[in-house]
Amino acid sequence: KSKEGYLFRVAVAELAAKQHKDDKALLIAQLAKMDYLQRSSKVDLGTFEDWYKSSLEEADKLDFVEIKSALTFLYAVNLSLNYQKDVQSLYFLNKAIDYSSGLREGMSTQKGLLLSGVTRIFYQFDDFANAVKYGKEVEKYDINQVEKFLTLDIVGVSYLKLKNYDSARVYVDKSLQ
């Protein structure tokens, strides 16, 4: 479970994708690698921006709509967490939401998880109205119960911050079910 071990496994996945000429699998492996690097050792901003742009271009070339929302969400979250670029982060967060509208019907779990993450980010930015808007959407999706609990709890607390006490109680109760 060391950094080197994880990066070795990603390198194996990248190599396998290249050998099988599976560009989508390669892009997925690169996304996993960047996510790990951002969590473990913060990549410099220029490198991160270049990675995002080239990954998005590759997704467009491959007509790989399903990954664009994940790439953009990762980019948005890290702009805020690692680089204190909150305005840009909000722009790309909304872009990730736009990309998620292109997800196929069978991608509902991915969309539900994305909206759950979006809800938390809007809440962190004190944008309680959008936290409620996207958090309520999560109810429609089949995601794990812990994720759903956390999201519905955020909706309840957001309603509380908006002084909508009846709705706050409803969503805190829903989160506990």
Side-chain angles (χ1 to χ4, degrees):
K1 293 195 177 202
S2 69
K3 179 178 180 177
E4 294 77 21
Y6 183 81
L7 293 176
F8 175 75
R9 287 190 297 280
V10 169
V12 169
E14 288 175 328
L15 182 61
K18 287 176 185 175
Q19 285 182 337
H20 292 283
K21 296 180 172 59
D22 188 343
D23 293 333
K24 288 183 178 182
L26 180 60
L27 199 53
I28 291 168
Q30 291 169 344
L31 171 64
K33 179 178 170 182
M34 182 56 75
D35 182 36
Y36 178 77
L37 290 172
Q38 285 292 55
R39 290 172 192 252
S40 66
S41 60
K42 189 174 140 181
V43 175
D44 73 90
L45 182 57
T47 301
F48 188 50
E49 287 173 333
D50 291 345
W51 169 83
Y52 172 70
K53 290 173 189 171
S54 66
S55 295
L56 212 53
E57 287 171 7
E58 186 67 18
D60 283 335
K61 281 194 285 189
L62 298 171
D63 195 29
F64 194 7
V65 173
E66 296 86 357
I67 201 166
K68 289 172 75 171
S69 60
L71 290 167
T72 306
F73 181 74
L74 176 69
Y75 188 64
V77 168
N78 282 287
L79 281 175
S80 177
L81 291 176
N82 291 342
Y83 309 106
Q84 292 69 49
K85 303 255 184 211
D86 293 347
V87 173
Q88 285 176 300
S89 177
L90 284 171
Y91 171 80
F92 284 102
L93 190 61
N94 283 296
K95 198 93 170 123
I97 294 165
D98 291 344
Y99 286 139
S100 76
S101 66
L103 292 174
R104 292 178 283 119
E105 194 69 29
M107 302 294 294
S108 65
T109 300
Q110 181 181 346
K111 186 166 184 178
L113 290 172
L114 174 80
L115 291 173
S116 179
V118 162
T119 300
R120 281 196 290 282
I121 301 301
F122 277 125
Y123 178 82
Q124 289 172 348
F125 280 120
D126 293 338
D127 186 345
F128 305 118
N130 273 322
V132 165
K133 176 182 175 181
Y134 294 108
K136 287 172 66 174
E137 286 289 308
V138 171
E139 287 185 273
K140 301 176 191 175
Y141 297 96
D142 184 28
I143 60 174
N144 85 37
Q145 287 304 110
V146 172
E147 192 73 27
K148 196 171 273 191
F149 156 76
L150 293 171
T151 305
L152 295 177
D153 186 61
I154 288 171
V155 171
V157 174
S158 294
Y159 269 129
L160 187 62
K161 299 273 188 179
L162 294 168
K163 298 184 182 341
N164 188 332
Y165 303 113
D166 290 338
S167 294
R169 185 180 47 77
V170 167
Y171 275 89
V172 169
D173 286 347
K174 281 185 179 188
S175 75
L176 298 173
Q177 294 176 357

